[in-house]
Amino acid sequence: MGEVQIISTCLVGATSNESFSTPKNISKIEMTPWDLQFLLLDNIQKGLLFYKPKTENTNNNSLVTKSSLINHLKTSLSHTLNFFPLLSGRFSAVTKTEDNAVSFFINCNNAGVEFIHASAPSLTVSTILSSSTTITLFTLNNVQNFECVTKPLCGVQITELVDGFFIGFTMNHCLGDGTSFWHFFNSWSEISRGCEIISKFPVLERYFPEKMEIPIHLPLKMDDEKLFEKFEAPIFVERVFHFSKESIGRIKGKANSEMDVKSISSLQAFLAHLWRAVTRCRKLDAEEEVVITIIIGTRSRLNPPIPEEYFGNALHFKKVKTSAGELLKNGLGWAALQINKMVVAQNTEEVVKMYKDWVENPILITKGSVYGGITKLAIGSTPRHNIYSTDFGWGKPIGVRSGMPNKGDGKITLFPGAKEGSVDIEVCLLSETLKALENDKEFMEAVTKK
């Protein structure tokens, strides 16, 4: 990827005179188990690719010149932060010396979001679309979530390309999940288009079951060596595979037909298709245990449900395990049904049980636990996110890419495709595994050329 030159760096805070938008009296937000589990992982990095604004594509001529566009995005970001006071804050860590424990909360002190204006004078839109290496298009790289006691919780990098712009947004994963991430991104684009208020106000009150002691104390010290342990992932390569709505429909139909059911969803079917293909290409022994880890969204699973606008993490992780031999021998429908059974079992009781169990025995997710070994797949994000309506005032994005955090062999990131009903699957695998996957007839028959 071409050289990226940093033009300017600053901190952007919320404006202070927007009386209609700023949530009142919010200075501190406690963190839930869903938030705290991510302390040892890296932040979320996702970015959108746009062609350069043209006069005929915008109602705002100030967006056409480079400097005006950067200033406009900076101003609209500041206004948007009025609705999301936690994003421009910092973490605070409180040590409980008597039992060597620490608790965290979000200090809504408006210390600011990092804002970088950059230029890549030799980089084109088509280069980014044909590549998945985007590390230089994001800020706050190599920052673990717990480090944001002193570092910004969020960062924006606007990179000018030869024929476009890339807007990279970095958000501390302890602040929120993918639903919250895109809620903010969408809201920022609304303000950029000229809206005075956003269409969906965030719900900032965190979810805690009754009779739970707050804050949650974690048995560690801020200078604990395990906080700074680095996971050396083996060298992997990336590629984005596109699946059309029709192709996904065929995979879903086959999975349900094989098991004589109608309950297997599109997502469960194509994840099973991918899981089997990667396992086949890894050439594992038949008795080797293989694992797929899937995100379970909890907003709609609680009773009463958490609002979709809940701004925070509302998820846990569940694994489906079997042997490589069983997975490949039993077919697509069987694999999809194993995933389906696990998902169906995630009811209100299971969600609350996992939440409370975590409080009793806190387990911080590490990269090694997710990516260690060549037998795992870890699924991130979802094709249900609202991405392609994120219009800043000069047209919809033409592509989405993620940064390098939390990646390793077996990391799969799901995005909606530009065409409704389609899906883009960003795959991280060892070089030899990816090459085998590209030559796997059964897998590639379902892949659609854009």
Side-chain angles (χ1 to χ4, degrees), residues 61-77:
N61 289 335
S62 69
L63 295 181
V64 178
T65 65
K66 176 179 66 177
S67 60
S68 297
L69 183 140
I70 298 301
N71 287 332
H72 173 82
L73 289 174
K74 191 182 298 183
T75 301
S76 60
L77 172 64

Side-chain angles (χ1 to χ4, degrees), residues 58-343:
T58 175
N59 295 322
N60 187 346
N61 289 335
S62 69
L63 295 181
V64 178
T65 65
K66 176 179 66 177
S67 60
S68 297
L69 183 140
I70 298 301
N71 287 332
H72 173 82
L73 289 174
K74 191 182 298 183
T75 301
S76 60
L77 172 64
S78 180
H79 289 172
T80 310
L81 289 171
N82 285 310
F83 303 94
F84 302 87
L86 67 174
L87 298 190
S88 57
R90 298 290 184 269
F91 288 149
S92 287
V94 180
T95 301
K96 194 177 180 182
T97 54
E98 58 268 28
D99 55 3
N100 290 325
V102 63
S103 63
F104 290 84
F105 67 88
I106 304 165
N107 182 3
C108 301
N109 60 4
N110 201 26
V113 168
E114 185 169 80
F115 186 96
I116 291 179
H117 173 203
S119 175
S122 63
L123 189 58
T124 64
V125 166
S126 61
T127 302
I128 294 178
L129 288 175
S130 61
S131 171
S132 53
T133 304
T134 57
I135 187 169
T136 55
L137 300 177
F138 294 92
T139 183
L140 299 175
N141 294 298
N142 301 313
V143 175
Q144 289 179 276
N145 292 316
F146 77 89
E147 295 181 79
C148 290
V149 172
T150 56
K151 297 180 180 181
L153 289 167
C154 295
V156 171
Q157 181 171 318
I158 314 294
T159 305
E160 183 187 7
L161 314 172
V162 173
D163 52 352
F165 283 91
F166 188 87
I167 302 179
F169 179 44
T170 300
M171 186 179 87
N172 190 294
H173 209 328
C174 294
L175 290 183
D177 52 21
T179 299
S180 297
F181 180 97
W182 290 108
H183 181 179
F184 175 78
F185 222 147
N186 297 154
S187 299
W188 179 19
S189 73
E190 289 178 332
I191 298 299
S192 178
R193 290 198 305 269
C195 299
E196 289 192 356
I197 61 174
I198 59 178
S199 60
K200 288 171 39 178
F201 278 68
V203 175
L204 301 178
E205 183 180 355
R206 287 297 202 262
Y207 168 78
F208 291 99
E210 294 180 5
K211 299 179 181 178
M212 177 165 288
E213 185 178 346
I214 305 170
I216 297 170
H217 292 94
L218 303 176
L220 54 83
K221 299 178 181 179
M222 287 304 291
D223 59 354
D224 197 319
E225 288 184 1
K226 73 178 181 181
L227 289 176
F228 300 93
E229 288 177 355
K230 297 296 182 183
F231 172 69
E232 297 296 332
I235 296 175
F236 60 89
V237 290
E238 301 178 59
R239 178 175 167 181
V240 176
F241 293 98
H242 180 70
F243 288 76
S244 68
K245 180 180 180 180
E246 293 74 20
S247 178
I248 294 169
R250 288 191 289 271
I251 296 172
K252 176 184 176 181
K254 180 181 178 183
N256 279 290
S257 176
E258 285 182 1
M259 304 310 294
D260 194 24
V261 297
K262 296 181 180 180
S263 57
I264 296 171
S265 70
S266 298
L267 179 60
Q268 293 159 7
F270 75 70
L271 286 181
H273 176 72
L274 177 65
W275 189 21
R276 296 183 72 248
V278 171
T279 300
R280 194 162 52 239
C281 294
R282 282 173 162 170
K283 299 179 173 59
L284 303 172
D285 292 337
E287 64 274 11
E288 192 94 53
E289 183 181 69
V290 291
V291 181
I292 184 169
T293 302
I294 296 175
I295 293 173
I296 301 296
T298 57
R299 283 173 176 79
S300 62
R301 286 183 165 83
L302 288 169
N303 186 20
I306 293 175
E308 186 69 14
E309 296 80 12
Y310 176 87
F311 201 94
N313 289 286
L315 57 84
H316 62 236
F317 297 89
K318 293 294 290 187
K319 298 178 179 180
V320 179
K321 302 178 181 180
T322 185
S323 68
E326 287 291 313
L327 182 65
L328 299 180
K329 178 182 70 174
N330 287 316
L332 172 69
W334 181 87
L337 194 59
Q338 306 315 301
I339 296 173
N340 171 267
K341 289 177 180 177
M342 179 276 292
V343 172

Side-chain angles (χ1 to χ4, degrees), residues 363-394:
I363 298 176
L364 303 181
I365 304 168
T366 64
K367 290 183 184 179
S369 68
V370 179
Y371 305 116
I374 62 167
T375 63
K376 300 176 181 179
L377 281 188
I379 311 301
S381 198
T382 169
R384 299 188 180 99
H385 289 322
N386 178 18
I387 291 177
Y388 284 94
S389 64
T390 312
D391 180 353
F392 283 83
W394 66 88

